C-alpha cells in the first residue's frame, strides 16, 4: 500500500475536542446547545443513526432530544411538530431523520424547519446560499466533513481537478458546489456517464458517493490522486464496503479514506459543529475567541 490513509476517526476526535471547549464556553454564558432529532416510523437503520447522534451530543455535554413519531403521523402533524421545535429556545438544531415514510413529503417537512436551525443544511435557503457561493447558515454535514478532511490533510483544492461520482442532493451536488466554491474545476459523474473511467482518471481529487460497492478500481484512478470514499454498502457477509475498491486503489492513490472509519465519523462531527454554531449565534455574548473562530 502506497497511499496515506486519511483517518476520519482521528480528525473527528480532534474536532470534537474543540467543540467541547466551545460548548463549555457557551454554557458559561447560561446556554446549553440543544439538538432535536425527529424520527418517524420504525426503520432500523434510522434508529441506529439517531441513537448515535444523541449519544454524540451527550458526550459533549449538549442537550439532546429524540422525538419518535409513529409511521402513520400525518403531514400536518409532523410540520406542526417541527414548527413547535422552531419556537423552543432550548433547541438550536433540528434534524428530521430521512427517509420519511412514503406518504410524507420530505421537502415540505424540511422547508418547515427554520433555516437557522437546519443543521443538516437541506433547507432551500441554505442550499441557495451554497449555489450562490455565499456563506450559508449551514452546509450539509457529509460534504462539509469532506472539506474539513481535505483541509486537515493540506490538500490543495484551488486549481485542482475534482471529480465527484454521484449527484444526490445530500452528498454529490453539495460536494461539487463546495469544491467549486473553493476554486476547484469540478466534473460531476453519475449513472448515465459514458466511460466513467475516462472521467475519474482525470481527477486530482476523486470523491465517490454513488452507493455501488467497489465501483472505483485502480485503473480508474490517476496516480497520486486523493480519493475520498463516501459510500457505505452492506455486503452479503455483513461487512461494510465503500464505493472504492480500497485494496487496489490504495496502491495508486496518494491519500485515501477507509470504510468504515473515514468520512462517516466526520458526518456526525459536523452535525455537532453546526449545532454548536447555532447555539453560539443564539448566545451573542460568547466572543469569537471563545467560539474558536
Amino acid at each position: 500500500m502506497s497511499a496515506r490513509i486519511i483517518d476520519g476517526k482521528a480528525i473527528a476526535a480532534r474536532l470534537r475536542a474543540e467543540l467541547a471547549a466551545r460548548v463549555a464556553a457557551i454554557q458559561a454564558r447560561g446556554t446549553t446547545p440543544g439538538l432535536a432529532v425527529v424520527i418517524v416510523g420504525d426503520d432500523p437503520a434510522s434508529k441506529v443513526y439517531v441513537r448515535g447522534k444523541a449519544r454524540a451530543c451527550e458526550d459533549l455535554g449538549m442537550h439532546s432530544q429524540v422525538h419518535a413519531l409513529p409511521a402513520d403521523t400525518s403531514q400536518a402533524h409532523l410540520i406542526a411538530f417541527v414548527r413547535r421545535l422552531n419556537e423552543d429556545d432550548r433547541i438550536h438544531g433540528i434534524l428530521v431523520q430521512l427517509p420519511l415514510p412514503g406518504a410524507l413529503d420530505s421537502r415540505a417537512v424540511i422547508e418547515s424547519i427554520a433555516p437557522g436551525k437546519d443543521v443538516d443544511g437541506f433547507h432551500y435557503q441554505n442550499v441557495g446560499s451554497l449555489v450562490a457561493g455565499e456563506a450559508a447558515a449551514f452546509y450539509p454535514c457529509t460534504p462539509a466533513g469532506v472539506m474539513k478532511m481535505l483541509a486537515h490533510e493540506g490538500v490543495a483544492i484551488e486549481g485542482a481537478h475534482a471529480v465527484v461520482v454521484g449527484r444526490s442532493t445530500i452528498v454529490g451536488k453539495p460536494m461539487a458546489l463546495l469544491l467549486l466554491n473553493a476554486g476547484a474545476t469540478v466534473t460531476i459523474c453519475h449513472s448515465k456517464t459514458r466511460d466513467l473511467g475516462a472521467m475519474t482518471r482525470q481527477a486530482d481529487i476523486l470523491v465517490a458517493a454513488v452507493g455501488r460497492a467497489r465501483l472505483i478500481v485502480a485503473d480508474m484512478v490517476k496516480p497520486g490522486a486523493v480519493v475520498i470514499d463516501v459510500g457505505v454498502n452492506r455486503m452479503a457477509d455483513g461487512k461494510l464496503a465503500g464505493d472504492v475498491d480500497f485494496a487496489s486503489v490504495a496502491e495508486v492513490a496518494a491519500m485515501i479514506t477507509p470504510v468504515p472509519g473515514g468520512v462517516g465519523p466526520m458526518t456526525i462531527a459536523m452535525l455537532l459543529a453546526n449545532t454548536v454554531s447555532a447555539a453560539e449565534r443564539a448566545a451573542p455574548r460568547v466572543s469569537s475567541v471563545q467560539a474558536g473562530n
Side-chain angles (χ1 to χ4, degrees), residues 200-218:
T200 58
R201 278 189 292 272
Q202 300 177 40
D204 302 307
I205 302 169
L206 176 60
V207 181
V210 71
R212 290 181 56 187
R214 303 187 178 117
L215 172 68
I216 305 298
V217 295

Side-chain angles (χ1 to χ4, degrees), residues 7-279:
D7 188 343
K9 286 184 179 179
I11 300 171
R14 179 176 175 179
L15 176 57
R16 288 190 192 207
E18 295 171 357
L19 292 173
R22 290 167 62 183
V23 169
I26 303 167
Q27 288 175 330
R29 302 292 182 178
T31 298
T32 295
L35 173 68
V37 180
V38 180
I39 180 171
V40 183
D42 298 311
D43 181 73
S46 292
K47 286 185 174 181
V48 171
Y49 293 145
V50 166
R51 283 198 298 268
K53 291 165 183 174
R55 191 181 311 115
C57 283
E58 292 161 4
D59 288 346
L60 289 185
M62 297 167 58
H63 173 59
S64 173
Q65 295 181 3
V66 175
H67 300 280
L69 305 181
D72 62 355
T73 297
S74 70
Q75 179 91 4
H77 179 78
L78 178 55
I79 288 176
F81 190 89
V82 169
R83 287 176 175 162
R84 285 198 296 273
L85 292 174
N86 287 338
E87 301 303 318
D88 188 339
D89 291 339
R90 299 170 300 166
I91 297 302
H92 304 96
I94 301 170
L95 183 154
V96 176
Q97 183 67 39
L98 302 177
L100 291 172
L104 298 174
D105 182 348
S106 298
R107 173 47 58 187
V109 173
I110 290 168
E111 290 307 299
S112 70
I113 301 172
K117 293 190 177 186
D118 168 40
V119 287
D120 254 343
F122 295 158
H123 190 283
Y124 277 144
Q125 182 170 315
N126 289 320
V127 173
S129 295
L130 174 57
V131 172
E134 301 169 352
F138 304 109
Y139 297 122
C141 297
T142 298
V146 171
M147 296 300 287
K148 282 278 188 184
M149 296 174 84
L150 294 174
H152 181 273
E153 296 299 316
V155 176
I157 298 175
E158 188 171 9
H161 185 185
V163 175
V164 178
V165 184
R167 54 177 170 175
S168 74
T169 57
I170 294 175
V171 179
K173 290 177 182 177
M175 185 78 257
L177 287 164
L178 283 170
L179 288 163
L180 181 65
N181 292 346
T185 298
V186 180
T187 300
I188 303 176
C189 300
H190 46 79
S191 61
K192 303 296 188 293
T193 299
R194 298 175 183 173
D195 196 351
L196 178 62
M199 298 292 104
T200 58
R201 278 189 292 272
Q202 300 177 40
D204 302 307
I205 302 169
L206 176 60
V207 181
V210 71
R212 290 181 56 187
R214 303 187 178 117
L215 172 68
I216 305 298
V217 295
D219 67 3
M220 299 171 69
V221 177
K222 177 181 178 179
V226 176
V227 179
I228 305 294
D229 190 352
V230 181
V232 179
N233 306 282
R234 182 73 64 178
M235 308 304 288
D237 61 4
K239 294 182 179 180
L240 297 178
D243 290 352
V244 175
D245 182 39
F246 182 88
S248 68
V249 172
E251 298 295 334
V252 179
M255 302 182 200
I256 189 170
T257 60
V259 175
V263 175
M266 290 301 298
T267 298
I268 292 182
M270 293 309 300
L271 173 66
L272 299 174
N274 284 349
T275 304
V276 171
S277 294

